[in-house]
Amino acid sequence: MALHRPLLAGVLGLCAVLATPVSATAAPASPHAGGSSHHADSLRSLAAPIGLRIGTAVNTDQLASNATYRNITASQFSTVTPENVMKWEVVEPTRGTYDWAAADRLVAFAQANHQLVRGHTLVWHSQLPSWLTAAAPQMSPDELRAILRQHVIDQVTHFKGQIWQWDVVNEAFNDDGTLRDSIWLQKLGPGYIADAFRWAHQADPKAKLFYNDYNIEYTGPKSNAVYALVKSLKAQGVPIDGVGFQTHLDTQYPLPDLQSNLQRFADLRLDVAETEVDVRTTLPVTATEQSAQVAGYTQTLQACMAVKRCISYTVWGFDDGNSWVPGVFAGEGAATVYDEKFQPKAQYYALQQALELGKGAPHRTGIGAGRG
Ligand code: G3I
């Protein structure tokens, strides 16, 4: 019986939360401030006692136009990640002309709702502006390096003091553990990774700087390669603070050995985070598939809670209507914790229950700035 109590309380709590408009007048919080007056059964409130931040990727078009989306974003989560609006193609669509407007609005929303921001992402092979992808092949390494340096420094400087964790380098490896053949590797060599961390640190010494990737939840060639990279960066004194495990799961594959994998990175004196969690399946969803999705959410959150240096757990969007999955994996979806009508699914209650039952998990100490 005890297991059902938080679930019922969760339903009631959610109703209350949805009826409450987001306060537009709440005092802004510093990036490292905690605390809120959210309903006791919200994900963010349930995670607060152990110092864990629960986050979501945010679709800023929805945030601007949909009050239900806005209320859930504010009430359930204590960190936000821009799903797209801090990517290079959005912030510098024309060379030398920045457009920070959408990202600035999200940062202001986060501050008004006492949320921290994960900055995503500074150096990636995808979603680059077309002026850059067109010109890069003809550029000299020095010219391209100067452009990358300027981008990292300008973006981190613009948001200085407002970003908790930056995904400095995203998805630099192939699944076999070799470095991805991106324009960065081709022109600049593997040293671009350490350079990016040094530039970001120069621009905002207090931001936590992360390497972020997918398919590193499983121990194997890719996760081993990332492990070797970050170990070597630490040994060289490169300012890296953490590793983000994206955690895009699919019910057709076994669950990863995530806890032991998170722990071995944490043992390098790095913070770790699950940064883009979702669990997709084939449509229409069967009861068996949904129970596998529930297990995926439960196990990934429990793995984070069990590792003291796992400081945040972020879902890659919270509602099926705005998930990236159906657009990329034909015939798959239902990957998030709310349905298209913004009703919480069993996956939502699984997160709530894992938090409720895990109150004895170690308290995280990595919320503030600082390395080591
Ligand atoms: O903004 C344009 C719009 O102007 C245009 O009309 C429309 C037509 O297709 O496209 C819009 O851009 C789309 C963009 O999302 C913003 O909605 C792109 O086509 C679409 O490809 C892009 O997808 C994003 C994807 O990254 C790009 O690689 C997804 O929303 C986003 O969820 C996804 O996020 C990534 C993380 O950054 C890194 N890890 C994997 C994760 C999932 O792929």
Side-chain angles (χ1 to χ4, degrees):
M1 281 308 286
L3 289 186
H4 296 280
R5 187 186 54 79
L7 304 191
L8 178 61
V11 177
L12 299 173
L14 189 79
C15 294
V17 149
L18 291 179
T20 310
V22 183
S23 167
T25 53
S30 89
H32 306 297
S36 70
S37 55
H38 296 280
H39 193 280
D41 282 337
S42 68
L43 300 178
R44 65 183 292 175
S45 296
L46 288 169
I50 61 162
L52 175 66
R53 292 279 173 159
I54 302 288
T56 182
V58 175
N59 175 323
T60 51
D61 292 338
Q62 285 292 310
L63 197 71
S65 62
N66 184 330
T68 303
Y69 186 95
R70 208 158 43 238
N71 285 336
I72 295 174
T73 304
S75 60
Q76 294 293 329
F77 301 99
S78 48
T79 80
V80 291
T81 306
E83 184 175 5
N84 285 297
V85 297
M86 281 190 196
K87 292 172 178 173
W88 198 338
E89 70 174 4
V90 177
V91 299
E92 195 182 5
T94 306
R95 187 169 180 180
T97 306
Y98 290 116
D99 180 358
W100 308 113
D104 284 346
R105 281 194 292 273
L106 179 60
V107 170
F109 177 90
Q111 291 176 350
N113 290 290
H114 303 279
Q115 295 166 317
L116 301 182
V117 180
R118 295 198 79 260
H120 176 83
T121 176
L122 297 170
V123 184
W124 195 24
H125 63 277
S126 179
Q127 289 182 282
L128 295 170
S130 52
W131 61 262
L132 178 59
T133 47
Q138 290 80 45
M139 285 181 192
S140 70
D142 283 352
E143 197 182 350
L144 190 63
R145 189 167 185 276
I147 286 174
L148 184 62
R149 179 178 178 280
Q150 192 76 48
H151 164 68
V152 171
I153 289 186
D154 286 353
Q155 182 150 358
V156 176
T157 301
H158 178 80
F159 294 106
K160 185 176 180 184
Q162 301 180 302
I163 302 294
W164 180 37
Q165 304 173 11
W166 268 115
D167 287 334
V168 177
V169 178
N170 193 42
E171 303 175 2
F173 284 91
N174 298 309
D175 283 349
D176 66 3
T178 58
L179 280 171
R180 185 188 290 274
D181 189 26
S182 65
I183 56 166
W184 311 121
L185 183 70
Q186 287 165 10
K187 292 266 177 177
L188 311 181
Y192 81 86
I193 297 175
D195 284 342
F197 280 92
R198 292 191 181 104
W199 295 327
H201 179 62
Q202 185 186 326
D204 186 353
K206 289 192 175 166
K208 282 180 173 284
L209 306 183
F210 274 64
Y211 176 81
N212 191 54
D213 215 328
Y214 61 87
N215 284 354
I216 58 169
E217 300 77 28
Y218 301 81
T219 307
K222 187 171 190 177
S223 133
N224 291 347
V226 172
Y227 181 85
L229 167 77
V230 299
K231 188 174 180 189
S232 131
L233 292 176
K234 284 282 278 187
Q236 295 167 61
V238 174
I240 179 170
D241 300 286
V243 175
F245 295 70
Q246 292 186 7
T247 320
H248 293 291
L249 303 184
D250 186 322
T251 59
Q252 65 185 299
Y253 306 116
L255 288 171
D257 48 337
L258 187 51
Q259 183 181 327
S260 58
N261 209 24
L262 292 173
Q263 188 62 57
R264 71 173 176 146
F265 282 81
D267 290 343
L268 293 175
R269 300 175 72 217
L270 287 165
D271 290 329
V272 292
E274 291 177 48
T275 54
E276 305 185 12
V277 181
D278 52 23
V279 188
R280 62 186 182 269
T281 194
T282 51
L283 300 174
V285 185
T286 65
T288 305
E289 286 169 334
Q290 191 173 19
S291 58
Q293 292 178 301
V294 165
Y297 276 101
T298 299
Q299 185 179 307
T300 53
L301 179 52
Q302 286 180 337
C304 181
M305 293 169 73
V307 175
K308 192 176 174 192
R309 291 202 75 145
C310 186
I311 59 174
S312 60
Y313 178 95
T314 295
V315 294
W316 202 244
F318 55 82
D319 64 303
D320 287 341
N322 288 297
S323 166
W324 68 290
V325 168
V328 173
F329 296 94
E332 292 190 69
T336 75
V337 299
Y338 287 77
D339 69 15
E340 293 87 347
K341 293 181 175 156
F342 296 102
Q343 294 306 304
K345 303 193 295 187
Q347 290 87 321
Y348 169 87
Y349 297 116
L351 293 183
Q352 208 180 37
Q353 190 174 61
L355 292 168
E356 176 83 21
L357 295 174
K359 283 177 180 157
H363 194 278
R364 272 105 260 266
T365 50
I367 299 301
R371 285 185 180 95

